[in-house]
Each structure stands twice: as C-alpha cells, then as structure tokens.
Amino acid sequence: MKIGFAGLGVMGGPMARHLVHAGHEVTGFNRTADKARTWAGASGGRFAATVAEAATGADLFILCVGNDDDVRQVVDAALPHLNAGATVVDHTTTSAKVAREMAALAAGQGRTFIDAPVSGGQAGAENGQLSVMAGGDSDALTRAEPALMAYSKAVKHMGPSGAGQLTKMVNQIAIAGVVQGLAEAVHFAQVAGLDTGAAYDAISKGAAQSWQMDNRWATMAEGRFDFGFAVDWMRKDLGLVLDEARANGAHLALTALVDQFYSEVQSMGGARWDTSSLAARLQDRPRQA
Ligand code: NAP
C-alpha cells in the first residue's frame, strides 16, 4: 500500500518504520527535516520535504504530531493531494472537537478522517504493541486496519468521529488517579521506614495490584523518572480532558487536582520527566509536624 506519514517523533518514527518493514511503500515527512532524513536512511522509507509530497498518490495518510493546531495544519495540507477516497488516520492525542472538525473537512473533499489515538507509550511503538482506539467511519477503519496492525496489538472502533479521542481521555483519567495513589503509597512506605521492595512483594499480588505498581513502584522508590511519556504531554492531555468535562458536565475533581500536581512537577524542572514523577513532588516535601 502507498502510505504517507507525517510526524516522525518518539511515537511516529517507529510506527512508520514498522509499516516499511511490513512491505508498504511509506513516504515520511517531519517538520524538522533532518529527523525525516535520518528516519528514511534507517528504515528504508522515502523522505518527503513537504506534507504535500508525502500525501501525493497515497491511499492512506497517517499522522502522529503534537496538538490540535498541528493536526489542523498537516491535515489541511495533505487532503488535496491524496488519492480520491483516501483515508487519513490520526494517532495524535487531540480534542474530540478537532477530530469532528477534520472529519467534516475530509468528507467535503471526498476523503475520510479517523481519530485514532494510541496507548502503550514509546515501548509499545518500538515493539509494535500499541492499542488503537478509533472514531469515525468503520468501513474505512476496516480497510486501514491491516496496515495499522504493523505496530498495534489491537484496534478498537469506538463510535463516530471524536469517540477515539474521548476513549483516550478515559484512559488518561484512569491513569492520573492510579499514579498519584501509587506515589503516595511509595512515599508512605518510605516515611514509615518499611523496606519498599518487601512492601511491594507483600501487596502486589492482591487488590492493590496495577500495571503502574508492577512497572513503576521500584523506580518511583529509586527516584527514576525517565520512562517516556512526559509531564508536558500529560498536562496537554489532562487539559483536553478537563475542557471536555466542562462541556459534558462530568465531575473530575481528582483529575483536576492531579493536573495541578503535575504543574508543580513542571515547576520543579520535571517537564520532560515521565508521569510517575508525581512521586518526586512528595519526596521533595518536608513531613508534616
Ligand atoms: P514527539 O516526539 O514530539 O513527535 C511529534 C513529531 O511531530 C515531531 O517529530 C514533530 O516535529 C512533528 N510535528 C509536530 N507538529 C508538527 C507540525 N505542525 N507539522 C509537522 N510535523 C509536526 O511526540 P510523541 O511523543 O511522538 O507524541 C506525539 C503524539 O502522540 C502526541 O499527541 C502525544 O500526546 C501522543 N502520545 C504520545 C505517547 C508517548 O509515550 N510519547 C503515548 C501516547 C500518545 P519536530 O521534530 O519539528 O518537533
């Protein structure tokens, strides 16, 4: 399949590489052109200097850029150059609003736009084990799915345009509370003078178990926060969540609080630390009298 790909960063770079290795003809574009040149050299894909060049003649165009405005810019530039009937799959985490906006724009030009954010992080992209949650036309998604499976373990259709982004918001809400709870548990164990490794052994097979506990307990205790998904990105995502909640009336008191905790982590110099750095905020704090 002839595929255009825009956004060859931490997530997009390995995704696009998996597509090349699966036998697709992939043309990659990135805002910073050197990154696209390096990607093309390393993966065997083709380099594009512009979005239009990456989109020309493609039946499938995939992007994984930064935020809402980046998606608007790239999709607007790509649409007129794609083959008639082509599908655009957006893996960026954005608002549901921009997903609906892009779907209408694409439909007006005889193309289909699917919002398809992912979970699984950098490791999931590298290992081809991402989970994709998608909104939009299900027939177009079914046609794109074999290609997406080059870097995914599951692709789930969630409903109309925007439903993929809403599902990603659910994911981020669930993670925010769990990570803060875990950070407090590690903090308490340390303050209480327990052996944190032994505490993990004692509780991790019971009801407190979670992916975060299995993968981040020990590293939180050691103060290591270099595991990919950055606090800056999490704050962007929680901002999208809280905007959506203001519009739909959901009550997200804990999510709003954790968002503010992350703003404190940013002030501590942790903008690029990973999301488990909520623990650093507690480690820095004097104990109550
Ligand atoms: P990243 O490493 O910063 O990659 C984004 C790439 O998109 C960069 O190479 C950037 O180019 C390019 N880009 C940004 N805006 C652009 C524009 N307007 N036009 C053209 N190219 C543009 O970020 P990432 O970690 O891959 O994350 C990408 C998206 O996936 C974000 O929405 C993030 O929230 C989401 N996500 C990330 C993770 C994760 O673990 N990292 C997990 C799930 C979802 P430059 O080289 O010029 O900056």
Side-chain angles (χ1 to χ4, degrees):
M1 198 178 210
K2 199 157 181 267
I3 302 174
F5 202 109
L8 299 165
V10 168
M11 299 296 285
M15 286 179 190
R17 188 188 69 227
H18 283 298
L19 289 169
V20 175
H21 293 173
H24 299 291
E25 198 183 311
V26 185
T27 308
F29 165 80
N30 192 71
R31 183 174 52 193
T32 305
D34 273 354
K35 218 188 257 182
R37 275 196 201 91
T38 306
W39 169 83
S43 68
R46 289 190 189 169
F47 164 81
T50 61
V51 174
E53 204 180 316
T56 299
D59 293 308
L60 179 61
F61 185 84
I62 303 177
L63 63 154
C64 187
V65 289
N67 57 31
D68 281 21
D69 283 342
D70 296 322
V71 168
R72 284 192 181 98
Q73 231 175 55
V74 171
V75 173
D76 200 42
L79 282 174
H81 303 279
L82 295 169
N83 285 348
T87 300
V88 177
V89 173
D90 179 23
H91 291 311
T92 315
T93 303
T94 69
S95 66
K97 179 172 168 270
V98 85
R100 294 179 197 116
E101 201 182 298
M102 293 301 101
L105 186 75
Q109 298 183 40
R111 277 88 175 167
T112 306
F113 177 93
I114 294 177
D115 53 296
V118 296
S119 76
Q122 183 174 355
E126 297 282 352
N127 304 331
Q129 294 290 308
L130 293 170
S131 294
V132 180
M133 42 214 102
D137 185 281
S138 63
D139 291 341
L141 180 65
T142 303
R143 286 195 300 277
E145 193 172 325
L148 308 188
M149 287 308 288
Y151 47 79
S152 312
K153 62 178 178 192
V155 176
K156 174 93 179 148
H157 184 247
M158 294 303 303
S161 292
Q165 295 297 350
L166 293 174
T167 308
K168 174 74 183 183
M169 291 178 201
V170 172
N171 185 73
Q172 301 305 67
I173 293 165
I175 285 179
V178 169
V179 175
Q180 176 61 19
L182 192 66
E184 290 184 15
V186 170
H187 169 65
F188 181 89
Q190 288 175 327
V191 171
L194 291 173
D195 174 333
T196 53
Y200 170 80
D201 289 341
I203 67 173
S204 60
K205 303 290 180 285
Q209 187 273 343
S210 65
W211 184 96
Q212 295 290 343
M213 178 175 277
D214 287 346
N215 291 279
R216 295 290 179 266
W217 175 279
T219 52
M220 276 184 177
E222 290 161 12
R224 286 174 48 210
F225 307 116
D226 55 350
F227 297 97
F229 192 64
V231 167
D232 276 352
W233 278 143
M234 187 60 163
R235 284 218 75 209
K236 169 191 69 112
D237 292 2
L238 295 180
L240 296 169
V241 166
L242 295 169
D243 283 350
E244 190 68 36
R246 263 187 289 276
N248 71 14
H251 304 287
L252 300 183
L254 181 59
T255 307
L257 188 62
V258 174
D259 174 60
Q260 289 304 296
F261 292 162
Y262 277 122
S263 82
E264 292 178 21
V265 175
Q266 286 174 317
S267 309
M268 292 167 60
R272 302 301 298 176
W273 297 347
D274 78 82
T275 45
S276 67
S277 57
L278 285 174
R281 187 183 147 269
L282 294 170
Q283 282 158 4
D284 242 33
R285 187 144 297 204
R287 289 186 213 171
Q288 44 180 302

